Amino acid sequence: MTKNAFIAITGRANAGKSSLTNLLVGEKISIVSEKPQTTRNRINGVLTKGDTQYVFMDTPGMHKPKTKLSEHMVKSIRQSVDDVDCAILMADVTKKISSIEQDLIHSFASHGTAVVLLLNKVDLLKDKSEILKIIQQYSELYDFEEIIPISVKNRINTDQIMPVLERFAVEGEHFFPDDIATDRTERFMCSEIVREKILRVMQEEIPHGVAVDVEKFKSRMNGDTEIIDISVVIICEKESHKGMIIGKGGERLKQIGTMARGDMEDLLQAKVNLQCFVKVKEDWRNRERVISDLGMYDED
């Protein structure tokens, strides 16, 4: 008898949702950065253990929308809690409970969603007795199925998560092949790799105004060696941002490309010939057509 479980991973920006998704799936499928709103699209991570297939929906961090793009991100979060077998609420124990957590809890309550609360970053608490107070505060807001204090980074109590999630598996078919880790295409994953490197290399707010479009993704053989030719366009909002991304003598763009190519070769298990270009599309995050062309309406 096969089973499946659809589990939405929710929480505020930078709570550790993508790191948790990668940990549970056992592979890096979501990009990780200390900058908020790193995840823009809902990404499904797939883990098949025996007869049970788990589908983890890594959602963007809940936030107050300021652009058309962020409106769609918030809509994606709300859609993700519809009709799931269980939701995970990731909370950062170094942050006080905010309207963001309260809004998510209100959404859970309106759907009658079973929720597991993961209190992340306990390794950063100097006074460990604070955990009990935080558990009490959250317990007063919702009847959580389980509350587990964890540290994804230091693997504290993370082995307790899957035994809890197993309880929510229901009888049914597997929706994805048993040997895949995500439903996203290699093309999409490569665009995310480039965006991750931009987030790592760039400072301030510029990365939030950046998108990556893969214009070419083509495989060829050179003798016994597979070479994948990839051409990406980095889209930014201002001409001044373009210069900053390229850097003096093209050094910054070269650094981004070198870092991205290494990860792409690990992902694709092939040699990658990567070319990166930069284009300006002013205020693209508020232009519906551009957002749509970049594939950011696929959850609507």
Side-chain angles (χ1 to χ4, degrees), residues 193 197 200-201 254-264:
I193 286 171
K197 303 316 173 191
R200 295 268 176 91
V201 171
K254 182 179 178 181
Q255 181 186 6
I256 292 167
T258 299
M259 293 168 66
R261 185 172 63 251
D263 279 14
M264 288 179 183

Side-chain angles (χ1 to χ4, degrees), residues 11-208:
R12 74 164 79 187
N14 208 26
K17 299 179 300 298
S18 294
S19 295
L20 176 70
T21 303
N22 293 338
L23 175 67
L24 294 176
V25 172
E27 291 186 29
K28 183 177 179 179
I29 61 163
S30 294
I31 65 173
V32 177
S33 166
E34 293 181 355
K35 293 181 173 66
Q37 298 170 36
T38 298
T39 301
R40 285 177 176 164
N41 300 69
R42 192 177 74 190
I43 298 172
N44 291 335
V46 182
L47 172 67
T48 304
K49 290 183 65 178
D51 294 330
T52 304
Q53 185 172 86
Y54 300 88
V55 181
F56 300 102
M57 291 173 279
D58 180 17
T59 65
M62 182 59 109
H63 58 283
K64 186 175 181 179
K66 295 181 180 179
T67 64
K68 291 290 185 183
L69 173 61
S70 58
E71 286 176 8
H72 284 277
M73 289 164 64
V74 170
K75 183 177 180 181
S76 173
I77 301 166
R78 300 196 186 284
Q79 288 177 334
S80 294
V81 301
D82 291 348
D83 199 29
V84 293
D85 299 298
C86 171
I88 290 174
L89 174 59
M90 288 284 286
D92 181 342
V93 295
T94 67
K95 310 285 186 184
K96 292 184 178 180
I97 299 174
S98 69
S99 59
I100 293 174
E101 285 83 14
Q102 291 171 340
D103 286 349
L104 283 167
I105 288 171
H106 177 75
S107 182
F108 298 145
S110 65
H111 290 90
T113 307
V115 184
V116 174
L117 174 63
L118 300 183
L119 299 173
N120 193 26
K121 305 186 183 181
V122 295
D123 55 302
L124 299 181
L125 285 180
K126 293 181 180 179
D127 183 0
K128 302 305 180 186
S129 66
E130 286 293 313
I131 295 175
L132 294 177
K133 297 178 184 177
I134 297 169
I135 290 173
Q136 179 61 34
Q137 291 170 351
Y138 274 99
S139 296
E140 293 172 357
L141 297 177
Y142 198 73
D143 184 17
F144 294 100
E145 299 290 329
E146 292 282 350
I147 300 177
I148 309 174
I150 67 167
S151 167
V152 175
K153 182 179 179 180
N154 292 351
R155 304 294 192 265
I156 297 173
N157 293 338
T158 53
D159 59 336
Q160 297 181 22
I161 300 172
M162 285 305 301
V164 171
L165 299 181
E166 287 174 6
R167 305 204 306 250
F168 301 99
V170 296
E171 184 176 350
E173 64 181 312
H174 291 180
F175 287 83
F176 301 100
D178 289 354
D179 59 348
I180 70 166
T182 181
D183 63 335
R184 289 292 184 173
T185 64
E186 292 176 336
R187 193 184 192 105
F188 171 83
M189 298 296 288
C190 286
S191 72
E192 287 288 271
I193 286 171
V194 174
R195 194 163 64 86
E196 179 185 56
K197 303 316 173 191
I198 296 169
L199 288 164
R200 295 268 176 91
V201 171
M202 302 294 295
Q203 301 299 319
E204 308 307 327
E205 288 299 307
I206 292 175
H208 292 303

